[in-house]
């Protein structure tokens, strides 16, 4: 059914991509079945129990079936005897063990209309995560979570490759900041407006997918093809439920904004169209007590916070905006600085700190400038910009030399 994340990732009608070694749709499988060989290929998350294919005379030596549902035990045993390897789907879990696509807001909020916040997909996965050890799961749960995150890695690589092919390699811009910034606050409005401006000139906005400044940034990108007056109206609507701890009203008003200001209809396979309207969010169930950010166009939600944080900073090579935030934001600042210091993922764009008064309280500039000045790749202290001006922020980000770093495709 539409919006149910367990449907499109298990053999849904999504056209297959050009990754030569991976099979992710029934249409792609049928091409290889006609050639009588699945040898050394990886078959990901397909419902092979529905309209079961005839595999009896197909070469399956070295084939790897990951998260596929097969007709019965006899078929599984026969495949193994003939040289295939099987990683079965993990039953009794609310999430797919190998998602073939990134999530959408409709996926994460699925079930809210009838069950409220407690019964929607995103919350059910978080509840399962907590019940199975939180950050220290047992081995079965750990394997299932790692498979899920590997699928998200894979889908993310493909989504970004599609973006680069359609839009070029102009650097993505990360927008970081406090998760507790209330809707309607000055920090929230500033982040939304800057993101609106960035997305309107074709930059890909990347966030951590949480509430506060992160939601504001994806909201701005969601409204990038609409006038600023409509973005302002949306913020006023959202301001009636300013705090994310009020889960049900917070989520309900976000969905109401999406209904009043719908994104342009795009085909289910149009990843680039989704990224154009809302940008990219990479949240984590480690912080699943925070309601889902429902304005990103594509959402790569992870169990592993470490993988998710590294991915955000690795992608944001066209510059990073740090809106007011505290411990988590400061951690991200110096994690990003390490990447820039060593150019781990290539050249870096500007480090733009919004809110002069806030960053006087946390004097990161005094630490960053001498650090980046000693980079083995030359003095990079000029990348640091502290400002209250969105015009100055836009100018600094426009001058950024970083290009998007696209993750490898097909490793999941």
């Amino acid at each position: 059914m539409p919006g149910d994340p367990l449907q499109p990732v298990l053999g849904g009608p999504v056209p297959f991509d050009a990754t030569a070694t991976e099979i992710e749709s029934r249409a792609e499988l049928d091409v290889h079945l006609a050639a009588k060989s699945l040898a050394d290929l990886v078959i990901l998350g397909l419902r092979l129990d529905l309209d079961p294919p005839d595999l009896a005379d197909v070469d399956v030596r070295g084939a790897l079936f990951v998260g596929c549902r097969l007709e019965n035990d006899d078929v599984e045993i026969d495949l193994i005897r003939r040289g295939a390897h099987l990683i079965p789907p993990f039953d009794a879990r609310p999430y797919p063990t190998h998602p073939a696509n990134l999530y959408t807001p409709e996926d994460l909020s699925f079930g809210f209309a009838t069950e409220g916040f407690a019964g929607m997909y995103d919350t059910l996965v978080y509840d399962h995560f907590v019940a199975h050890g939180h950050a220290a799961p047992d081995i079965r749960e750990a394997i299932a979570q790692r498979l899920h995150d590997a699928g998200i890695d894979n889908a993310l690589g493909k989504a970004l490759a599609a973006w680069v092919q359609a839009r070029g390699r102009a650097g993505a811009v990360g927008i970081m900041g406090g998760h507790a910034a209330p809707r309607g606050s000055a920090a929230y409005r500033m982040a939304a407006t800057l993101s609106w401006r960035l997305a309107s000139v074709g930059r890909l906005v990347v966030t951590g997918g949480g509430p506060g400044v992160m939601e504001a940034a994806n909201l701005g990108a969601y409204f990038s093809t609409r006038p600023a007056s409509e973005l302002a109206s949306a913020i006023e609507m959202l301001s009636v439920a300013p705090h994310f701890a009020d889960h049900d009203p917070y989520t309900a008003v976000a969905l109401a904004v999406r209904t009043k200001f719908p994104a342009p209809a795009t085909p289910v396979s149009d990843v680039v169209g989704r990224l154009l309207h809302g940008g990219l969010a990479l949240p984590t169930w480690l912080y699943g007590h925070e309601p889902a950010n429902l304005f990103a166009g594509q959402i790569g939600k992870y169990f592993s916070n470490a993988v998710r944080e590294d991915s955000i900073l690795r992608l944001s090579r066209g510059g990073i905006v740090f809106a007011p935030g505290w411990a988590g934001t400061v951690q991200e600042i110096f994690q990003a600085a390490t990447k820039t210091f060593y150019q781990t993922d290539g050249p870096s764009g500007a480090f733009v700190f919004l809110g002069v008064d806030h960053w006087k309280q946390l004097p990161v500039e005094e630490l960053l400038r001498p650090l980046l000045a000693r980079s083995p790749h030359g003095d990079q202290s000029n990348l640091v910009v502290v400002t209250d001006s969105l015009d100055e922020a836009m100018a600094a980000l426009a001058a950024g030399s970083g290009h998007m770093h696209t993750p490898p495709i097909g490793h999941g």
Side-chain angles (χ1 to χ4, degrees), residues 156 160 172 206 280 282 311-317 404-405 407:
L156 179 60
L160 294 172
V206 181
L280 174 67
L282 300 178
S311 295
I312 296 168
L313 299 174
R314 179 160 41 93
L315 297 177
S316 303
R317 307 316 299 156
M404 186 190 302
H405 181 94

Side-chain angles (χ1 to χ4, degrees), residues 63-76:
L64 177 61
F65 291 79
V66 179
C68 295
R69 298 185 184 274
L70 297 165
E71 185 179 7
N72 52 50
D73 292 345
D74 291 338
V75 173
E76 294 184 13

Side-chain angles (χ1 to χ4, degrees), residues 268-302:
V268 74
S269 61
D270 187 2
V271 172
V272 174
R274 294 196 191 114
L275 290 172
L276 281 169
H277 296 92
L280 174 67
L282 300 178
T284 172
W285 277 293
L286 184 68
Y287 304 133
H289 61 285
E290 299 175 354
N293 172 345
L294 299 180
F295 294 104
Q298 290 280 260
I299 303 168
K301 191 148 192 176
Y302 286 89

Side-chain angles (χ1 to χ4, degrees), residues 1-13 45-47 50 67 69 89-90 92-101 103 106-108 110 121 124-125 148:
M1 66 185 70
D4 185 347
L6 292 180
Q7 295 304 314
V9 296
L10 292 175
L46 297 189
R47 290 295 302 269
L50 305 176
R69 298 185 184 274
F90 286 70
R93 282 167 175 79
Y95 58 89
T97 49
H98 200 97
N101 310 295
Y103 292 108
E106 291 79 9
D107 293 333
L108 294 185
F110 181 75
Y121 172 81
L124 294 178
V125 176
H148 172 278

Side-chain angles (χ1 to χ4, degrees), residues 169-172 203 316-319 340 343 345-350 380 382-383 395-404:
R169 299 192 66 88
R203 303 297 288 274
S316 303
R317 307 316 299 156
T340 297
Q343 292 198 0
D345 300 307
S348 172
Q380 298 185 74
N382 64 310
L383 295 176
L397 294 165
S401 60
H403 284 181
M404 186 190 302

Side-chain angles (χ1 to χ4, degrees), residues 324-343:
W326 296 96
T329 304
V330 171
Q331 174 186 326
E332 291 163 344
I333 291 167
F334 287 96
Q335 191 174 344
T338 301
K339 287 180 173 291
T340 297
F341 184 90
Y342 292 111
Q343 292 198 0

